[in-house]
Amino acid sequence: MNYRNLDRLFNPKNIAMIGASATPVKWGFIVLLNILKEGFKGPVYPVNPKLKTILGVTCYPSLEAIPEPVDLVIITTPAPTVSALIDECGRKGVASLVVITSGFSETGPDGTRMEQEIVAKARGYGIHLVGPNTMGIFSAKSNLHALMPPVVPLHGGLSMFSQSGNVGVQMLYWGNNKGIGFNKFVSSGNEGDLKGEDYLSYFAEDKDTKVILAYLEGLDPDSKLYQVARKVCRKKPVLIFKGGRTKTGGKAAASHSGAMAVSSRVLRAAFRQAGIIELENSQGLIDCAKAFSASPIPKGNRVAILTRGGGWGVITADSCEENGLIVPKLSDTIIERMNKILPPYWSHGNPVDMAAVITSEPYLQCM
Protein backbone atom coordinates (compact mmCIF):
# COMPACT_ATOMS: atom_id res chain seq x y z
CA MET A 1 0.00 0.00 0.00
CA ASN A 2 1.23 3.49 -0.87
CA TYR A 3 1.73 5.00 2.61
CA ARG A 4 2.98 8.41 3.67
CA ASN A 5 3.04 9.02 7.41
CA LEU A 6 0.97 12.15 8.04
CA ASP A 7 1.12 12.17 11.85
CA ARG A 8 2.99 15.49 11.94
CA LEU A 9 0.37 17.00 9.64
CA PHE A 10 -2.70 15.98 11.64
CA ASN A 11 -1.08 15.92 15.09
CA PRO A 12 1.70 18.53 14.99
CA LYS A 13 3.57 19.59 18.11
CA ASN A 14 3.38 23.22 16.98
CA ILE A 15 2.16 25.45 14.14
CA ALA A 16 3.56 28.51 12.33
CA MET A 17 1.15 30.74 10.40
CA ILE A 18 2.83 32.65 7.55
CA GLY A 19 0.62 35.51 6.47
CA ALA A 20 -0.93 35.94 9.90
CA SER A 21 -2.90 39.18 9.97
CA ALA A 22 -4.59 41.52 12.43
CA THR A 23 -7.25 42.40 9.83
CA PRO A 24 -10.45 40.47 10.67
CA VAL A 25 -11.57 40.03 7.03
CA LYS A 26 -8.34 38.34 5.95
CA TRP A 27 -7.81 34.57 5.99
CA GLY A 28 -4.57 35.07 7.88
CA PHE A 29 -6.66 36.36 10.77
CA ILE A 30 -9.67 34.04 10.45
CA VAL A 31 -7.73 30.76 10.27
CA LEU A 32 -5.43 31.85 13.10
CA LEU A 33 -8.44 32.79 15.23
CA ASN A 34 -10.05 29.38 14.64
CA ILE A 35 -6.84 27.61 15.68
CA LEU A 36 -6.49 29.65 18.87
CA LYS A 37 -10.09 29.76 20.05
CA GLU A 38 -10.60 26.00 19.70
CA GLY A 39 -7.59 25.27 21.91
CA PHE A 40 -4.89 23.67 19.76
CA LYS A 41 -2.68 21.62 22.10
CA GLY A 42 0.67 23.16 21.18
CA PRO A 43 2.45 26.49 20.56
CA VAL A 44 1.19 28.69 17.71
CA TYR A 45 3.61 31.09 16.02
CA PRO A 46 2.11 33.87 13.86
CA VAL A 47 4.59 35.14 11.25
CA ASN A 48 4.35 38.75 10.03
CA PRO A 49 7.35 41.12 9.94
CA LYS A 50 5.12 44.19 10.41
CA LEU A 51 3.45 43.17 13.69
CA LYS A 52 4.60 42.44 17.26
CA THR A 53 1.50 40.53 18.41
CA ILE A 54 -1.74 39.18 16.92
CA LEU A 55 -4.68 38.18 19.11
CA GLY A 56 -2.39 38.45 22.11
CA VAL A 57 0.18 36.02 20.67
CA THR A 58 3.80 37.03 19.95
CA CYS A 59 4.39 37.54 16.25
CA TYR A 60 7.69 36.60 14.54
CA PRO A 61 9.29 38.45 11.60
CA SER A 62 10.14 35.22 9.77
CA LEU A 63 9.91 31.48 10.05
CA GLU A 64 13.62 31.26 10.79
CA ALA A 65 13.17 33.57 13.80
CA ILE A 66 10.97 31.00 15.60
CA PRO A 67 13.09 29.55 18.44
CA GLU A 68 12.31 25.85 17.87
CA PRO A 69 11.73 23.35 15.03
CA VAL A 70 8.28 23.60 13.41
CA ASP A 71 6.05 20.65 12.50
CA LEU A 72 3.30 22.39 10.53
CA VAL A 73 3.31 25.65 8.53
CA ILE A 74 0.14 27.24 7.14
CA ILE A 75 0.52 29.78 4.31
CA THR A 76 -2.08 32.40 3.33
CA THR A 77 0.13 34.83 1.38
CA PRO A 78 -0.36 35.45 -2.40
CA ALA A 79 0.59 32.72 -4.86
CA PRO A 80 3.78 34.36 -6.23
CA THR A 81 5.29 34.44 -2.69
CA VAL A 82 4.81 30.73 -1.92
CA SER A 83 7.85 29.36 -3.76
CA ALA A 84 10.36 31.38 -1.74
CA LEU A 85 8.50 30.53 1.48
CA ILE A 86 8.92 26.82 0.77
CA ASP A 87 12.67 27.39 0.63
CA GLU A 88 12.37 28.94 4.11
CA CYS A 89 10.39 25.90 5.27
CA GLY A 90 13.05 23.59 3.86
CA ARG A 91 15.84 25.38 5.71
CA LYS A 92 13.79 25.22 8.91
CA GLY A 93 13.18 21.47 8.59
CA VAL A 94 9.39 21.82 8.44
CA ALA A 95 7.53 18.50 8.16
CA SER A 96 4.17 19.55 6.69
CA LEU A 97 2.72 22.50 4.85
CA VAL A 98 -0.88 23.63 4.26
CA VAL A 99 -1.16 26.14 1.40
CA ILE A 100 -4.50 27.94 1.74
CA THR A 101 -3.55 30.25 -1.13
CA SER A 102 -5.39 29.87 -4.44
CA GLY A 103 -4.27 30.99 -7.91
CA PHE A 104 -2.48 27.82 -9.02
CA SER A 105 -3.47 25.02 -11.44
CA GLU A 106 -7.17 25.82 -11.13
CA THR A 107 -6.52 29.12 -12.98
CA GLY A 108 -4.70 27.87 -16.09
CA PRO A 109 -1.20 27.24 -17.52
CA ASP A 110 0.65 29.96 -15.56
CA GLY A 111 -0.87 28.77 -12.31
CA THR A 112 -0.03 25.17 -13.22
CA ARG A 113 3.64 26.09 -13.68
CA MET A 114 3.72 27.79 -10.28
CA GLU A 115 2.08 24.76 -8.68
CA GLN A 116 4.56 22.35 -10.28
CA GLU A 117 7.42 24.50 -8.97
CA ILE A 118 6.23 24.57 -5.36
CA VAL A 119 5.43 20.85 -5.38
CA ALA A 120 8.88 20.00 -6.75
CA LYS A 121 10.49 22.14 -4.04
CA ALA A 122 8.37 20.64 -1.26
CA ARG A 123 9.20 17.10 -2.34
CA GLY A 124 12.87 18.01 -2.62
CA TYR A 125 12.83 19.10 1.01
CA GLY A 126 10.75 16.09 2.12
CA ILE A 127 7.79 18.30 3.07
CA HIS A 128 4.21 16.97 2.86
CA LEU A 129 2.13 19.66 1.11
CA VAL A 130 -1.66 19.99 1.38
CA GLY A 131 -3.26 21.93 -1.47
CA PRO A 132 -2.69 24.48 -2.77
CA ASN A 133 -6.16 26.04 -2.91
CA THR A 134 -7.32 24.33 0.29
CA MET A 135 -9.72 25.35 3.06
CA GLY A 136 -7.54 23.66 5.67
CA ILE A 137 -7.51 20.67 8.00
CA PHE A 138 -9.08 19.40 11.23
CA SER A 139 -7.88 16.83 13.77
CA ALA A 140 -9.83 15.90 16.89
CA LYS A 141 -6.87 14.42 18.78
CA SER A 142 -4.85 17.67 18.81
CA ASN A 143 -7.84 20.08 18.76
CA LEU A 144 -6.52 21.35 15.44
CA HIS A 145 -9.11 23.57 13.73
CA ALA A 146 -6.98 25.07 10.92
CA LEU A 147 -10.05 25.82 8.81
CA MET A 148 -11.36 28.87 6.97
CA PRO A 149 -14.97 28.57 8.26
CA PRO A 150 -15.64 28.60 12.04
CA VAL A 151 -17.10 25.07 12.10
CA VAL A 152 -16.47 23.03 15.27
CA PRO A 153 -17.08 19.36 14.42
CA LEU A 154 -18.20 16.80 16.93
CA HIS A 155 -15.46 14.28 17.73
CA GLY A 156 -16.02 10.76 16.44
CA GLY A 157 -14.83 8.02 14.10
CA LEU A 158 -15.29 9.58 10.64
CA SER A 159 -12.32 10.83 8.62
CA MET A 160 -12.71 12.60 5.29
CA PHE A 161 -10.74 14.06 2.40
CA SER A 162 -12.54 16.38 0.01
CA GLN A 163 -11.49 18.00 -3.27
CA SER A 164 -14.01 20.74 -2.51
CA GLY A 165 -13.52 22.64 0.72
CA ASN A 166 -17.10 23.87 0.77
CA VAL A 167 -18.61 20.41 0.25
CA GLY A 168 -16.32 18.92 2.89
CA VAL A 169 -17.03 21.62 5.45
CA GLN A 170 -20.76 21.18 4.82
CA MET A 171 -20.32 17.53 5.81
CA LEU A 172 -18.79 18.70 9.11
CA TYR A 173 -21.81 20.94 9.75
CA TRP A 174 -24.26 18.16 8.82
CA GLY A 175 -22.37 15.79 11.10
CA ASN A 176 -23.12 18.17 13.97
CA ASN A 177 -26.80 18.26 12.99
CA LYS A 178 -27.03 14.46 12.86
CA GLY A 179 -24.99 13.80 15.99
CA ILE A 180 -22.05 12.09 14.28
CA GLY A 181 -18.43 13.09 14.83
CA PHE A 182 -15.25 13.41 12.81
CA ASN A 183 -11.74 12.36 13.73
CA LYS A 184 -9.87 14.00 10.85
CA PHE A 185 -10.74 16.15 7.85
CA VAL A 186 -8.68 17.63 5.05
CA SER A 187 -9.69 19.88 2.20
CA SER A 188 -7.26 18.40 -0.32
CA GLY A 189 -7.58 21.27 -2.80
CA ASN A 190 -5.62 20.88 -6.03
CA GLU A 191 -3.74 17.85 -4.66
CA GLY A 192 -0.44 19.06 -6.05
CA ASP A 193 1.52 16.81 -3.68
CA LEU A 194 -0.64 14.83 -1.24
CA LYS A 195 -3.44 13.10 -3.14
CA GLY A 196 -6.58 11.20 -2.28
CA GLU A 197 -4.78 7.87 -2.12
CA ASP A 198 -2.30 9.28 0.42
CA TYR A 199 -5.09 10.31 2.78
CA LEU A 200 -6.94 7.05 2.13
CA SER A 201 -3.96 4.87 3.04
CA TYR A 202 -3.20 7.00 6.12
CA PHE A 203 -6.80 6.84 7.38
CA ALA A 204 -6.75 3.06 6.84
CA GLU A 205 -3.92 2.70 9.37
CA ASP A 206 -5.30 5.30 11.79
CA LYS A 207 -6.81 3.44 14.76
CA ASP A 208 -9.14 6.35 15.57
CA THR A 209 -10.72 6.31 12.09
CA LYS A 210 -13.62 3.87 11.75
CA VAL A 211 -15.27 5.06 8.51
CA ILE A 212 -13.63 6.91 5.57
CA LEU A 213 -15.51 9.52 3.50
CA ALA A 214 -14.45 11.32 0.33
CA TYR A 215 -15.74 13.87 -2.14
CA LEU A 216 -14.00 13.63 -5.53
CA GLU A 217 -14.21 15.78 -8.64
CA GLY A 218 -11.54 14.05 -10.73
CA LEU A 219 -8.45 11.86 -10.74
CA ASP A 220 -5.03 12.20 -12.34
CA PRO A 221 -4.18 9.60 -15.02
CA ASP A 222 -1.49 8.14 -12.74
CA SER A 223 -3.76 8.01 -9.65
CA LYS A 224 -3.29 4.97 -7.41
CA LEU A 225 -6.64 5.47 -5.66
CA TYR A 226 -8.12 2.26 -7.08
CA GLN A 227 -5.17 0.08 -6.05
CA VAL A 228 -5.08 1.58 -2.55
CA ALA A 229 -8.87 1.32 -2.12
CA ARG A 230 -8.88 -2.41 -2.94
CA LYS A 231 -6.74 -2.98 0.16
CA VAL A 232 -8.35 -0.37 2.41
CA CYS A 233 -11.92 -1.56 1.76
CA ARG A 234 -11.04 -4.91 3.33
CA LYS A 235 -10.38 -3.06 6.61
CA LYS A 236 -12.84 -0.17 6.75
CA PRO A 237 -15.89 1.17 4.89
CA VAL A 238 -14.97 3.74 2.21
CA LEU A 239 -17.83 6.02 1.11
CA ILE A 240 -17.39 8.33 -1.89
CA PHE A 241 -19.56 11.02 -3.47
CA LYS A 242 -18.31 11.87 -6.97
CA GLY A 243 -18.93 15.32 -8.48
CA GLY A 244 -18.27 16.26 -12.09
CA ARG A 245 -20.16 13.25 -13.46
CA THR A 246 -21.49 15.11 -16.52
CA LYS A 247 -19.67 17.02 -19.26
CA THR A 248 -20.79 20.34 -17.79
CA GLY A 249 -19.93 19.31 -14.23
CA GLY A 250 -16.51 18.09 -15.39
CA LYS A 251 -15.71 21.50 -16.88
CA ALA A 252 -16.78 23.20 -13.65
CA ALA A 253 -14.58 20.83 -11.64
CA ALA A 254 -11.52 21.70 -13.75
CA SER A 255 -11.91 25.42 -13.01
CA HIS A 256 -12.75 24.77 -9.35
CA SER A 257 -10.02 22.42 -8.17
CA GLY A 258 -7.98 21.71 -11.30
CA ALA A 259 -9.46 18.19 -11.31
CA MET A 260 -9.20 16.03 -14.43
CA ALA A 261 -12.48 14.51 -15.57
CA VAL A 262 -12.80 10.71 -15.69
CA SER A 263 -15.56 8.70 -17.39
CA SER A 264 -18.28 8.19 -14.78
CA ARG A 265 -19.10 4.75 -16.18
CA VAL A 266 -15.48 3.60 -15.92
CA LEU A 267 -15.04 5.11 -12.47
CA ARG A 268 -18.25 3.59 -11.15
CA ALA A 269 -17.15 0.14 -12.28
CA ALA A 270 -13.73 0.66 -10.67
CA PHE A 271 -15.34 1.79 -7.41
CA ARG A 272 -17.52 -1.33 -7.32
CA GLN A 273 -14.56 -3.64 -8.03
CA ALA A 274 -12.50 -1.98 -5.30
CA GLY A 275 -15.28 -2.27 -2.73
CA ILE A 276 -15.95 1.47 -2.52
CA ILE A 277 -19.53 2.50 -1.73
CA GLU A 278 -20.51 5.30 -4.12
CA LEU A 279 -23.31 7.66 -3.09
CA GLU A 280 -25.37 9.69 -5.54
CA ASN A 281 -25.56 12.90 -3.50
CA SER A 282 -24.15 14.68 -0.48
CA GLN A 283 -27.12 13.87 1.75
CA GLY A 284 -26.72 10.20 0.95
CA LEU A 285 -23.05 10.41 1.91
CA ILE A 286 -23.71 11.76 5.40
CA ASP A 287 -26.69 9.42 5.96
CA CYS A 288 -24.63 6.39 4.97
CA ALA A 289 -21.79 7.60 7.19
CA LYS A 290 -24.20 7.75 10.12
CA ALA A 291 -25.41 4.21 9.42
CA PHE A 292 -21.88 2.79 9.35
CA SER A 293 -20.95 4.77 12.48
CA ALA A 294 -23.91 3.47 14.48
CA SER A 295 -24.19 -0.13 13.25
CA PRO A 296 -21.83 -3.09 12.92
CA ILE A 297 -20.60 -3.91 9.41
CA PRO A 298 -22.66 -6.79 7.94
CA LYS A 299 -20.78 -10.07 7.50
CA GLY A 300 -22.53 -10.98 4.24
CA ASN A 301 -25.06 -9.87 1.61
CA ARG A 302 -28.16 -11.75 2.81
CA VAL A 303 -30.92 -9.47 4.11
CA ALA A 304 -34.04 -10.14 6.19
CA ILE A 305 -36.64 -7.38 5.89
CA LEU A 306 -39.04 -6.68 8.76
CA THR A 307 -41.82 -4.15 8.11
CA ARG A 308 -45.13 -3.03 9.58
CA GLY A 309 -46.41 -2.14 6.11
CA GLY A 310 -46.25 -4.26 2.96
CA GLY A 311 -45.43 -1.39 0.61
CA TRP A 312 -42.20 -0.53 2.41
CA GLY A 313 -41.22 -4.17 2.28
CA VAL A 314 -41.67 -4.18 -1.52
CA ILE A 315 -39.61 -1.00 -1.89
CA THR A 316 -36.84 -2.33 0.35
CA ALA A 317 -36.73 -5.65 -1.51
CA ASP A 318 -36.34 -3.79 -4.82
CA SER A 319 -33.56 -1.66 -3.43
CA CYS A 320 -31.72 -4.68 -2.02
CA GLU A 321 -31.81 -6.62 -5.29
CA GLU A 322 -30.84 -3.58 -7.36
CA ASN A 323 -27.75 -3.17 -5.18
CA GLY A 324 -26.59 -6.78 -5.30
CA LEU A 325 -28.07 -7.95 -1.99
CA ILE A 326 -29.95 -11.23 -1.56
CA VAL A 327 -33.39 -11.41 0.07
CA PRO A 328 -33.46 -15.16 0.88
CA LYS A 329 -36.44 -17.41 1.46
CA LEU A 330 -37.25 -17.94 5.15
CA SER A 331 -36.60 -21.39 6.56
CA ASP A 332 -39.49 -23.49 7.89
CA THR A 333 -38.04 -23.11 11.40
CA ILE A 334 -38.15 -19.31 11.23
CA ILE A 335 -41.67 -19.33 9.80
CA GLU A 336 -42.86 -21.56 12.64
CA ARG A 337 -41.33 -19.17 15.19
CA MET A 338 -42.97 -16.17 13.49
CA ASN A 339 -46.34 -17.96 13.52
CA LYS A 340 -46.20 -17.90 17.31
CA ILE A 341 -45.58 -14.13 17.37
CA LEU A 342 -47.61 -12.67 14.50
CA PRO A 343 -51.28 -12.88 13.47
CA PRO A 344 -52.25 -15.67 11.02
CA TYR A 345 -52.40 -13.28 8.07
CA TRP A 346 -48.74 -12.16 8.18
CA SER A 347 -46.82 -12.52 4.90
CA HIS A 348 -45.17 -15.88 5.70
CA GLY A 349 -42.11 -14.85 3.72
CA ASN A 350 -39.27 -12.38 3.36
CA PRO A 351 -40.02 -9.44 3.56
CA VAL A 352 -41.76 -10.15 6.87
CA ASP A 353 -44.91 -8.02 6.75
CA MET A 354 -46.20 -7.78 10.34
CA ALA A 355 -49.65 -6.90 8.99
CA ALA A 356 -50.15 -3.65 10.90
CA VAL A 357 -49.09 -5.02 14.30
CA ILE A 358 -48.22 -1.77 16.09
CA THR A 359 -47.04 -2.85 19.55
CA SER A 360 -43.31 -2.97 20.18
CA GLU A 361 -43.03 -6.41 21.83
CA PRO A 362 -43.82 -8.51 18.69
CA TYR A 363 -41.47 -6.31 16.68
CA LEU A 364 -38.59 -6.95 19.08
CA GLN A 365 -39.41 -10.68 19.27
CA CYS A 366 -39.23 -10.94 15.46
CA MET A 367 -35.85 -9.26 15.44
Side-chain angles (χ1 to χ4, degrees):
M1 185 185 298
N2 179 38
Y3 182 78
R4 298 172 74 178
N5 191 326
L6 305 181
D7 286 343
R8 292 174 72 187
L9 169 64
F10 287 104
N11 299 301
K13 292 180 181 178
N14 54 24
I15 300 171
M17 179 95 184
I18 299 179
S21 174
T23 304
V25 295
K26 290 189 174 182
W27 293 122
F29 177 90
I30 295 169
V31 176
L32 179 62
L33 176 63
N34 289 337
I35 293 171
L36 294 174
K37 73 182 179 67
E38 299 307 330
F40 171 66
K41 294 181 179 179
V44 179
Y45 300 107
V47 177
N48 187 321
K50 298 179 180 178
L51 298 172
K52 297 296 184 183
T53 63
I54 301 176
L55 295 168
V57 180
T58 300
C59 199
Y60 290 82
S62 68
L63 186 63
E64 293 172 333
I66 295 172
E68 66 172 336
V70 176
D71 273 356
L72 174 62
V73 168
I74 300 169
I75 294 178
T76 62
T77 58
T81 69
V82 174
S83 180
L85 292 172
I86 290 180
D87 288 326
E88 258 194 81
C89 291
R91 291 191 294 269
K92 187 70 174 176
V94 169
S96 301
L97 183 60
V98 174
V99 181
I100 302 287
T101 310
S102 57
F104 289 93
S105 63
E106 79 279 7
T107 64
D110 290 341
T112 298
R113 284 191 288 273
M114 278 198 297
E115 184 170 313
Q116 290 171 343
E117 179 183 339
I118 68 168
V119 169
K121 282 190 174 185
R123 289 178 174 172
Y125 289 119
I127 299 171
H128 291 145
L129 187 151
V130 178
N133 187 29
T134 170
M135 287 181 70
I137 65 173
F138 161 79
S139 177
K141 183 177 180 180
S142 56
N143 278 349
L144 174 58
H145 294 70
L147 296 167
M148 292 164 71
V151 58
V152 182
L154 296 175
H155 292 190
L158 304 180
S159 287
M160 180 177 187
F161 64 93
S162 176
Q163 289 181 343
S164 164
N166 275 307
V167 171
V169 166
Q170 191 65 57
M171 296 300 108
L172 302 182
Y173 278 115
W174 285 355
N176 286 352
N177 292 340
K178 291 180 176 290
I180 52 177
F182 283 77
N183 184 258
K184 294 177 178 68
F185 167 79
V186 56
S187 162
S188 60
N190 294 358
E191 296 188 355
D193 175 38
L194 290 173
K195 302 183 184 301
E197 57 261 35
D198 297 312
Y199 302 117
L200 184 59
S201 61
Y202 177 74
F203 292 156
E205 301 301 321
D206 176 32
K207 63 180 179 60
D208 296 321
T209 296
K210 308 305 179 187
V211 182
I212 301 170
L213 280 62
Y215 170 74
L216 297 180
E217 291 183 346
L219 295 172
D220 291 339
D222 60 349
S223 172
K224 300 294 189 296
L225 185 76
Y226 170 75
Q227 293 90 328
V228 173
R230 288 192 66 181
K231 297 177 181 179
V232 175
C233 289
R234 297 190 183 107
K235 298 181 177 183
K236 299 177 181 181
V238 178
L239 317 178
I240 286 182
F241 170 36
K242 172 68 172 64
R245 297 189 298 272
T246 65
K247 185 176 181 180
T248 303
K251 288 182 179 179
S255 63
H256 172 218
S257 61
M260 296 184 66
V262 182
S263 165
S264 290
R265 185 178 298 177
V266 171
L267 203 56
R268 183 160 292 172
F271 284 167
R272 185 177 292 272
Q273 287 181 352
I276 292 170
I277 300 169
E278 183 182 8
L279 288 308
E280 294 294 326
N281 53 57
S282 55
Q283 190 62 57
L285 181 65
I286 199 69
D287 286 344
C288 197
K290 182 174 183 177
F292 275 103
S293 296
S295 305
I297 298 174
K299 295 181 179 179
N301 65 345
R302 294 162 61 84
V303 179
I305 301 168
L306 179 64
T307 176
R308 288 193 171 108
W312 291 116
V314 172
I315 293 168
T316 305
D318 283 341
S319 183
C320 286
E321 187 166 321
E322 288 166 354
N323 286 280
L325 301 175
I326 297 172
V327 182
K329 181 181 177 180
L330 296 182
S331 69
D332 291 341
T333 301
I334 292 178
I335 290 176
E336 288 177 10
R337 291 177 65 183
M338 293 291 186
N339 284 337
K340 296 176 182 179
I341 301 170
L342 299 173
Y345 44 86
W346 75 279
S347 62
H348 290 80
N350 187 14
V352 176
D353 179 1
M354 296 178 65
V357 173
I358 61 173
T359 55
S360 60
E361 186 175 350
Y363 186 81
L364 295 173
Q365 288 175 331
C366 287
M367 292 181 68

